[in-house]
């Protein structure tokens, strides 16, 4: 994927949204997931209560994060795990590489983890001569295609089954033109089995870590994390420091919300608990990664974004995401939450993302942990304005609008000019390429007088 | 009680018939309503673009103009939400004039449903009727910021105020959409900034309404309808748009589509 220096979402989205096959199909596929989510959510009478509870637990955790992290480290260490701390992506990658080097490892199996994606672990390890195999099916597909995931839960949702067939034909030797999902899945399974057996170290992400017990939970639908963590003797678990919950019993709240919100399943197929290394011959390493999270924690406007449990529901529901595709965001995490998080890393690079939003608020209502996503996107727009990152035409047009709206007479006059010119000018003069509104839409037909004019004549 | 009519800028200039319908409807219900002529805009375009410094004087001006009235009524969910939910940035927490305006600014449907609690709609003793197949377009801000109805994401029970009011009109035949509250893609400056995505969203929205068998899209927000109407006229889609105030005021279906 071509990385632009500054993300221009409208331009990056254009090929996808204007493709008459791609965008409607992508929209329907994700709406189907959203509908399954609705069915599951409505089957839980206490759904809204669970959302509030989850949000409160997260608020309390983030407020006392330092304490909970220390508690987690103490308990995890007591169970025999080795806990590492990484301030940023670079340190995270170095720690992982060191563990691999200590074990003279050349092949690893990795289950899906957005954190390692965020840290750019794959390219880093590959550059250091290590063979990395992503074992999640969707993740493996995009890996074979040298792409990045376009969705945090459904990494290959942007691809049609025919395209997956082509990729497998090229890399795994499946029949040309084969697009039967069952056949392709079997082929992938066979291919991955060999990789699992050859893997020397397993890397997984973490869905929830429990301060009280020092253990953690990994949720998958394919069981790949279990295999990846069980076959090799070394398991490295990489987690963002916000993944903590205080007590074991809190888990239930989040597990009920996660799968329902993500895919419309009552629970993920595999919810694996890891408490310390498997046996005396095995090692368990846990890497706790900050990478900007402490900074986000300082911010009143955006702190709640740390509640995110990466369910992807906000992407599935977002009408912009559904039509523009995940890659148009040019970010590890796309969609509403990605558009909140990306500018916290580099506001100038990602300044167009908070504007890739109609402020419909569907993400806010769907989010299982009640992050006020669309309010945060609006807050980002202000922040971008304050940082003087707004484009010239936005700044000028809004300055002029402001002047206009400060005087009823000026406003009324400008309105008259607008209506009059719409009336007298030929269609081509008002509907052309430079007037973005009129590329796809007609302008309103001008009425003969404004309401204020009518009112002055009829009601006094 | 004197009620001030707040007519959003684009309604004033392009859809005076919606504002007239709103005024007549309120007058007929016995409300003492006036239109303060100094008003212009709530400042939403500037606020949504991130230009807070440009929005601030417009917001302050708005409060100065409307503070003397008991209530402020606006036939647009999005502009109402701007005043009620997004003005806090521009005023001190204890600014009485602001607090009064914030608490007493209502969307038209809210005002009819919650404040006036109207139970029937008559014009000169006759029931208002609208003998057409109708589909409801719910504006996102009306729905998710003013809670005029339950959103499909939330598992809460709520009255749908717009639909309840429309049910006071005789002979309306409802057509249900496959996606009851999906965004139409207008979003103010979003429509210009993300023109391709906005138009794609709008076209899908129109298709859902047309596919439901509806003759007319009714909404409490004319801004969504302005965007949808622009697409309808460009694509010559077989459907009309009307603001809910026009239906409640007893207006006939007008062929906006005829060119
Ligand atoms: S922001 Fe909310 S809806 Fe979006 S991925 Fe995170 S938890 Fe899920």
């Amino acid at each position: 994927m071509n990385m632009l220096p500054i993300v221009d979402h409208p331009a990056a989205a254009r090929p996808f949204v204007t493709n008459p096959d791609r965008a409607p199909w992508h929209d329907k596929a994700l709406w189907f997931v959203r509908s399954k989510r609705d069915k599951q959510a409505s089957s839980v009478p206490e759904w809204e209560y669970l959302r509030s509870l989850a949000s409160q637990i997260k608020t309390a955790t983030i407020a006392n994060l330092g304490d909970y992290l220390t508690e987690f480290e103490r308990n995890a260490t007591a169970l025999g795990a080795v806990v590492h701390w990484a301030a940023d992506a670079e340190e995270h990658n170095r720690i992982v590489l060191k563990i691999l080097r200590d074990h003279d490892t050349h092949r690893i199996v990795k289950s899906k983890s957005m954190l390692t994606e965020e840290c750019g672990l794959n390219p880093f390890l590959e550059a250091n001569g290590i063979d990395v195999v992503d074992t999640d099916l969707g993740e493996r597909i995009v890996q074979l295609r040298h792409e990045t995931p376009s969705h945090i839960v459904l990494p290959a949702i942007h691809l049609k089954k025919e395209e997956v067939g082509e990729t497998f034909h090229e890399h795994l030797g499946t029949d040309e033109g084969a697009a039967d999902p069952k056949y392709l899945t079997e082929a992938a399974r066979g291919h991955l089995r060999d990789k699992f057996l050859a893997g020397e170290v397993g890397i997984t992400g973490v869905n929830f870590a429990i301060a009280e017990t020092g253990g953690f939970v990994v949720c998958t639908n394919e069981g790949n994390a279990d295999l990846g963590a069980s076959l090799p003797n070394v398991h490295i678990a990489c987690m963002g420091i916000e993944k903590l919950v205080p007590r074991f019993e809190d888990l239930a709240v989040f597990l009920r919300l996660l799968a329902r919100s993500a895919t419309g399943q009552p629970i993920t197929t595999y919810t694996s608990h890891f408490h310390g290394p498997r046996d005396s011959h095995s090692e368990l390493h846990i890497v706790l990664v900050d990478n900007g999270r402490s900074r986000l924690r300082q911010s009143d406007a955006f702190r709640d974004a740390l509640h995110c449990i990466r369910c992807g529901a906000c992407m599935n529901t977002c009408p912009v995401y559904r039509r523009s595709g995940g890659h148009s965001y040019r970010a590890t995490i796309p969609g509403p939450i990605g558009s909140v998080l990306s500018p916290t890393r580099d506001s100038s690079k990602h300044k167009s993302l908070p504007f890739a939003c109609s402020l419909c608020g569907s993400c806010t209502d769907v989010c299982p942990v009640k992050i006020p996503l669309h309010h945060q996107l609006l807050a980002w727009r202000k922040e971008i304005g304050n940082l003087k990152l707004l484009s010239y035409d936005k700044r000028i047009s809004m300055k002029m609008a402001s002047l206009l709206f400060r005087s009823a007479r000026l406003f009324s006059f400008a309105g008259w000019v607008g209506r009059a010119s719409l009336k007298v000018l030929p269609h081509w003069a008002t509907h052309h390429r430079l007037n973005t509104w009129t590329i796809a839409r007609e302008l309103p037909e001008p009425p003969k007088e404004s309401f204020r004019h009518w009112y002055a004549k009829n009601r006094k | 009680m004197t009620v001030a009519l707040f007519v959003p800028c684009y309604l004033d200039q392009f859809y005076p018939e919606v504002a007239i319908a709103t005024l007549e409807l309120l007058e007929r219900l016995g409300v003492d309503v006036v239109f303060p002529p100094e008003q212009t805009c709530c400042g939403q375009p500037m606020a949504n673009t991130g230009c807070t410094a440009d929005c601030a004087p417009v917001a302050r001006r708005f409060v100065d103009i409307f503070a003397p009235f008991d209530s402020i009524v606006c036939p647009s969910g999005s502009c109402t939400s701007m005043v009620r939910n997004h003005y806090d940035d521009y005023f001190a927490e204890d600014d009485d004039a602001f607090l009064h305006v914030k608490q007493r600014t209502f969307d038209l449907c809210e005002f009819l449903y919650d404040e006036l609690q109207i139970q029937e709609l008559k014009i000169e003793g006759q029931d208002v009727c609208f003998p057409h197949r109708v589909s409801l377009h719910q504006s996102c801000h009306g729905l998710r910021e003013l809670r005029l109805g339950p959103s499909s994401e939330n598992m809460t029970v709520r009255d749908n105020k717009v639909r309840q009011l429309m049910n006071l009109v005789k002979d309306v035949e409802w057509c249900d959409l496959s996606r009851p509250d999906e965004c139409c893609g207008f979003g103010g400056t979003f429509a210009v900034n993300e023109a391709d995505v906005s138009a794609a969203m709008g076209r899908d929205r129109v298709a859902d309404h047309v596919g439901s068998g509806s003759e007319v899209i009714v909404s409490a927000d004319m801004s969504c309808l302005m965007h949808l109407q622009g697409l309808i006229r460009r694509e010559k889609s077989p459907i009309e748009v009307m603001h809910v105030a026009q239906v409640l005021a007893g207006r006939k279906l007008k062929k906006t589509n005829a060119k």
Side-chain angles (χ1 to χ4, degrees), chain A residues 18 173 185 225 242 246 294-295 320 427:
Chain A
T18 54
T185 311
E242 84 287 10
S294 297
R295 199 157 21 91
V320 176
H427 190 267

Side-chain angles (χ1 to χ4, degrees), chain B residues 72-94:
Chain B
I72 301 109
V73 175
C74 168
S76 158
S78 157
C79 306
T80 305
S81 177
M82 174 70 195
V83 176
R84 191 175 317 153
N85 300 319
H86 301 283
Y87 262 21
D88 301 71
D89 285 0
Y90 309 104
F91 298 91
E93 269 169 47
D94 57 353

